[in-house]
Amino acid sequence: MTDTTDIPLPLLVIVDAANVVGSVPDGWWRDRKGAAERLRDRLASEGLPGHPNPVELVLVVEGAARGVESAPGVRVVPAPGSGDDRIVELVAENPGRACLVITADRELRGRIMELGAEVTGPRSVLGGTP
C-alpha cells in the first residue's frame, strides 16, 4: 500500500469566469452562458497554457452562466450570489495549498492575496487570441 500523505496536491487554479469572459469584447453579453461554456471548453482542451504540471481547474460562474456544467478536466462551481465571494471561499477552504486565481478584478485580487493565493490576469488563459 502506498502512503499518499506526502504527495502534494496539484496547483488549484480558480478562474473568475465573468471577469475572464468580460475581458474580451466579443459579444459575450448576448449569451453569458454560451461564453462561459466556450471558456470551459477552452480550459478543458488547453489546460493552463505554459504550465507543464498537473493542475486542478475550477471555473466559478455566476448569474446567467450558473447553468454551465462541469467538463472533464474542469470543475464548474456556480456561485449562489457573488462570484467574487465564492472565489474567496474556495481559496479559504484550501489553506496551505498552492492556489492561483485568474482575474483582473482589483478588489478580488486584494482579498485573495490576503489569504495567500497568487493572482494572474485573463491573458494567462486567453493568450493573445480570444
Side-chain angles (χ1 to χ4, degrees):
M1 185 169 209
T2 305
D3 180 12
T4 60
T5 56
D6 292 332
I7 299 173
L9 292 170
L11 175 67
L12 176 61
V13 178
I14 303 170
V15 180
D16 181 350
N19 188 270
V20 172
V21 165
S23 71
V24 180
D26 63 358
W28 59 265
W29 51 89
R30 292 188 292 269
D31 181 10
R32 294 170 193 256
K33 182 179 178 191
E37 288 171 335
R38 288 188 297 278
L39 175 59
R40 177 209 55 206
D41 295 346
R42 183 176 190 156
L43 291 168
S45 69
E46 298 176 17
L48 183 61
H51 198 281
N53 299 323
V55 298
E56 179 184 351
L57 284 166
V58 177
L59 182 66
V60 176
V61 296
E62 61 185 293
R66 278 194 198 107
V68 174
E69 299 289 331
S70 293
V74 181
R75 178 169 53 107
V76 176
V77 175
S82 160
D84 290 1
D85 290 345
R86 186 64 185 117
I87 290 167
V88 171
E89 289 169 2
L90 288 168
V91 172
E93 290 168 5
N94 290 279
R97 182 173 180 186
C99 183
L100 175 67
V101 176
I102 300 174
T103 187
D105 183 309
R106 288 182 188 189
E107 181 184 340
L108 176 58
R109 284 173 170 255
R111 292 171 66 192
I112 56 180
M113 289 173 69
E114 287 177 3
L115 296 171
E118 292 186 34
V119 183
T120 191
R123 286 188 185 179
S124 63
V125 292
L126 298 176
T129 309

